[in-house]
Amino acid sequence: MNWEETTRQKMLHLKLPTDPRWVDIAQMQIEDILVDHAYCEQKAASSCISLIVRFNDLEYLVDTLTPIVAEEWGHFERVMEQLKKRGMKFGRQRKDEYVTRLTDFVKKGGSRMDQLTEHLLLNALIEARSCERFKLLSKNIQDEDLQKFYYELMISEAGHYVTFIEMARMYQDPEKVNKRWQEWLTFEAEVLKSMELRGDRMH
Ligand SMILES: [Fe+2]
Ligand SMILES: [Fe+2]
């Protein structure tokens, strides 16, 4: 099975595809998209660092997330290069409604492993949606350099997505994880549906 097939199956988890008009408006605001994207990579790296600090006793988690921090930071550097070579500026972080609303869905309380499940599923979901958006950019954006760039990042984020889901099922009853994952997917689709379509945000 080639990469496209396996990933398509895994990406089918998302319950709502991105509005196809998104790429058209995004490529007209590519500076905003790249700046927003840089912060997405920063947040991905930061969230893995937080998990490592909080769950320092989980050896597999620490060993698995440590190289992912480096990868996410590598992505951040690559986005910065894309900005620089276009003479674009790295601006301030904008409000990230998508991530804020998803973060609010994290269930408070429960056991420590319940908390871990919530955070791993949150990360998995953001990876899945990012992967879907990178795929749209890689296929539809006119800039060939960015097509290639987003294709490469899509593969990397797909790998992270699988890692987070599998790790959640490793540290918690997989049935419980699968049930909760469905709730996350349903919620994410609702969030996306209710958000205004804008071309200056990755999500
Ligand atoms: Fe990344
Ligand atoms: Fe990632």
Side-chain angles (χ1 to χ4, degrees):
M1 212 181 303
N2 68 25
W3 182 84
E4 279 258 359
E5 281 172 79
T6 48
T7 305
R8 198 178 307 129
Q9 285 168 357
K10 286 162 188 161
M11 279 176 59
L12 283 177
H13 289 164
L14 291 172
K15 292 190 190 284
L16 187 74
T18 290
D19 187 322
R21 290 171 302 171
W22 174 74
V23 179
D24 297 332
I25 57 170
Q27 66 181 339
M28 292 189 291
Q29 288 163 271
I30 205 65
E31 183 167 11
D32 292 317
I33 284 288
L34 287 170
V35 171
D36 192 58
H37 180 184
Y39 285 109
C40 292
E41 300 295 356
Q42 172 265 312
K43 279 178 274 194
S46 299
S47 85
C48 287
I49 292 171
S50 300
L51 286 172
I52 290 169
V53 172
R54 187 166 170 189
F55 297 95
N56 60 81
D57 55 320
L58 304 179
E59 193 181 349
Y60 174 79
L61 177 144
V62 173
D63 289 349
T64 306
L65 296 188
T66 298
I68 294 185
V69 172
E71 280 175 42
E72 301 293 19
W73 202 250
H75 293 171
F76 177 86
E77 285 183 314
R78 293 185 62 186
V79 180
M80 295 301 262
E81 280 166 23
Q82 293 290 344
L83 278 167
K84 281 226 159 61
K85 72 181 182 193
R86 289 176 172 75
M88 295 170 171
K89 267 181 67 184
F90 181 48
R92 287 169 66 94
Q93 182 170 17
R94 327 300 167 51
K95 190 169 165 273
D96 190 340
E97 189 190 346
Y98 176 78
V99 170
T100 304
R101 287 180 62 186
L102 288 186
T103 305
D104 287 345
F105 191 65
V106 169
K107 229 188 258 173
K108 309 279 180 297
S111 69
R112 193 161 170 260
M113 286 302 123
D114 290 339
Q115 279 300 304
L116 176 62
T117 303
E118 289 298 296
H119 286 280
L120 290 175
L121 294 184
L122 167 65
N123 283 13
L125 198 46
I126 298 171
E127 294 283 1
R129 182 59 72 189
S130 303
C131 187
E132 190 235 12
R133 298 244 158 148
F134 292 174
K135 184 177 182 179
L136 284 172
L137 289 169
S138 75
K139 289 199 155 178
N140 301 297
I141 205 166
Q142 276 154 17
D143 185 319
E144 282 179 24
D145 185 36
L146 285 178
Q147 281 176 13
K148 207 170 142 273
F149 177 64
Y150 279 112
Y151 182 80
E152 287 172 20
L153 290 198
M154 166 185 69
I155 291 174
S156 176
E157 311 305 2
H160 297 161
Y161 161 59
V162 174
T163 301
F164 284 125
I165 287 272
E166 286 178 352
M167 199 186 292
R169 293 186 182 124
M170 205 185 111
Y171 284 114
Q172 174 80 280
D173 173 7
E175 295 268 319
K176 200 171 164 184
V177 171
N178 294 345
K179 194 168 160 277
R180 183 62 179 149
W181 178 234
Q182 290 305 315
E183 293 171 4
W184 271 102
L185 288 168
T186 302
F187 180 74
E188 196 262 356
E190 282 165 18
V191 168
L192 207 66
K193 212 182 292 175
S194 70
M195 279 173 63
E196 177 199 357
L197 184 71
R198 46 194 298 177
D200 60 346
R201 295 285 197 280
M202 191 53 89
H203 302 108

